[in-house]
Amino acid sequence: MSRPADIDVALETPGPAATPLPRLIAAILTSNMGALIALLTPLQLLLTLHLTRIAGPGAAAAFGVVTGFGALFALVANPLAGRISDRTAARFGRRRTWILTGGLAGSLAVASLAFTTEVWQVAVVWCITQTLFNFQQAATSALLADQVSPLRRGTVSGFVGLAAAAGPLLGLTAVSAIADPVAQWVVLGVIALVFAVVAVILLRDPQHKREPHQAGLNLVELAKSFWLNPWRHPAFGWAWAVRFLITCAYASGTYNAFFLIQRFGVAEADVAAIVLGLSLLSVALLAVTSVIAGLVSDRLRRQKPFVVAAGVLAAAGLAGMAFAPNIGFVFIATAAIGVGTGLFFSIDSALCVRVLPSSENAGKDFAIINMANTLPQSFVPFIAPFMLALGGYTALYLVLAVLGLIGAAFVLRLPELGREGDPRWAVITRGEARPAPEPTVV
């Protein structure tokens, strides 16, 4: 009896040109960390402080506008970058080319935010920054499908979670030690550039040879970058929804500075230290949890229980934030969120790679999955003003908690490792098989 096609796909291993696993983990970790330092440090602190200086009492509204538009640009850039990366035939490599290009140009863009003096200028430069670093992240994400054996994806995904934890921590630590606002932005740019260069040095990425059936990029091809039919690819659709909903819950962290200032009356001069303390706690728990959970997931051959726990812990932590009577309780709620984030980041990438419909379009398909990371950056700032007007931070955090619980429930629709093809769960589909090339007569 022959094995199902899905099992054959799951047993594929990287080719001989793949980067050795320790170097590959270091390259993925370094590239992700550099991009996240440049993107999350402003979201968690620097944009709040910069817009407070520029917009005064209107800083919270300005923050929503800036981050909302930035998220929309990231939403467009990520799938386009994935599609372009898939088709890039540069000798430097289809992934390395865009890791370096995005990291270099993005570092210049984020440093230039120091010199913006109007809200519209901040919005424009932040949109450019988001676009460039999303090119880097799309190419980096595709490496998980390109070069990592399915038997090791949980482990590597755990280290991706470590990058998500350590990146903002390093960024916040670096800028908190610097008093000059201009220098803070410049340091972010330098760190992002160095990390991108190191990742490119570590990575092997042989020149991509286009197959005869791969057409050049045109408007139709680019339009396809934004859509993959969830009815034709149901497991992919459920995985996308899980990531979107649980990421919405974790997007609450971008409001920590405003939350501390407005609910507890923390002075602007003191908020950076408290935000750093919350980040240290969250990152320490996230880092330990993500690495351990990734290893345990690979050993147990289980993914869904970790994602369910991540959604439940996110909801519990957000409920704690909603009713926090003091800053001490905020630290307790943040601890729960940190553990949940570690569980989620350690497993979700490996789970999403497992449901990708096509290996040759891994960059594009994974970029569509990454849209579920990006949309919450726009969706949460969009609904936040309405929630804050209705019931303050209590309403905002409780709504996000409900979304986390729904995401935890949705993951139950996906098949567990080794149970692909079981009709009780959503089907994992693969791209249509292409005819084999005619044999060459010698």
Side-chain angles (χ1 to χ4, degrees), residues 247-330:
T247 302
C248 280
Y250 290 121
S252 61
T254 59
Y255 280 84
N256 281 350
F258 286 117
F259 175 64
L260 292 168
I261 292 171
Q262 295 176 9
R263 173 169 286 190
F264 299 110
V266 177
E268 182 183 335
D270 300 325
V271 72
I274 299 177
V275 169
L276 178 58
L278 291 171
S279 297
L280 283 169
L281 175 63
S282 179
V283 165
L285 293 170
L286 192 161
V288 173
T289 304
S290 65
V291 174
I292 293 176
L295 293 167
V296 173
S297 172
D298 281 344
R299 179 66 61 87
L300 298 179
R301 306 293 293 154
R302 293 290 181 269
Q303 293 176 335
K304 294 200 300 184
F306 297 90
V307 179
V308 170
V312 172
L313 281 170
L318 286 166
M321 294 284 282
F323 299 106
N326 51 56
I327 294 177
F329 203 88
V330 171

Side-chain angles (χ1 to χ4, degrees), residues 189-376:
V190 171
I191 292 173
L193 175 60
V194 171
F195 277 49
V197 170
V198 171
V200 164
I201 292 172
L202 290 170
L203 188 63
R204 286 183 190 169
D205 188 21
Q207 184 176 9
H208 173 59
K209 304 291 186 183
R210 285 185 186 172
E211 298 295 332
H213 63 266
Q214 286 185 319
L217 287 174
N218 52 41
L219 290 178
V220 174
E221 285 291 308
L222 291 177
K224 290 179 179 178
S225 302
F226 299 97
W227 177 249
L228 202 153
N229 193 325
W231 285 270
R232 290 184 57 191
H233 307 283
F236 184 92
W238 284 108
W240 193 98
V242 169
R243 176 173 282 204
F244 171 77
L245 291 166
I246 295 182
T247 302
C248 280
Y250 290 121
S252 61
T254 59
Y255 280 84
N256 281 350
F258 286 117
F259 175 64
L260 292 168
I261 292 171
Q262 295 176 9
R263 173 169 286 190
F264 299 110
V266 177
E268 182 183 335
D270 300 325
V271 72
I274 299 177
V275 169
L276 178 58
L278 291 171
S279 297
L280 283 169
L281 175 63
S282 179
V283 165
L285 293 170
L286 192 161
V288 173
T289 304
S290 65
V291 174
I292 293 176
L295 293 167
V296 173
S297 172
D298 281 344
R299 179 66 61 87
L300 298 179
R301 306 293 293 154
R302 293 290 181 269
Q303 293 176 335
K304 294 200 300 184
F306 297 90
V307 179
V308 170
V312 172
L313 281 170
L318 286 166
M321 294 284 282
F323 299 106
N326 51 56
I327 294 177
F329 203 88
V330 171
F331 275 85
I332 296 172
T334 299
I337 294 173
V339 174
T341 308
L343 290 174
F344 184 67
F345 283 131
S346 67
I347 306 303
D348 183 63
S349 292
L351 184 150
C352 289
V353 169
R354 187 160 60 91
V355 303
L356 293 183
S358 169
S359 58
E360 73 179 30
N361 291 319
K364 185 269 293 183
D365 292 344
F366 206 90
I368 293 176
I369 284 284
N370 282 339
M371 290 169 68
N373 282 347
T374 307
L375 270 173

Side-chain angles (χ1 to χ4, degrees), residues 44-67:
Q44 292 185 355
L45 181 63
L46 290 190
L47 280 175
T48 298
L49 298 178
H50 190 55
L51 290 170
T52 298
R53 287 189 290 268
I54 292 174
F63 180 84
V65 171
V66 170
T67 57

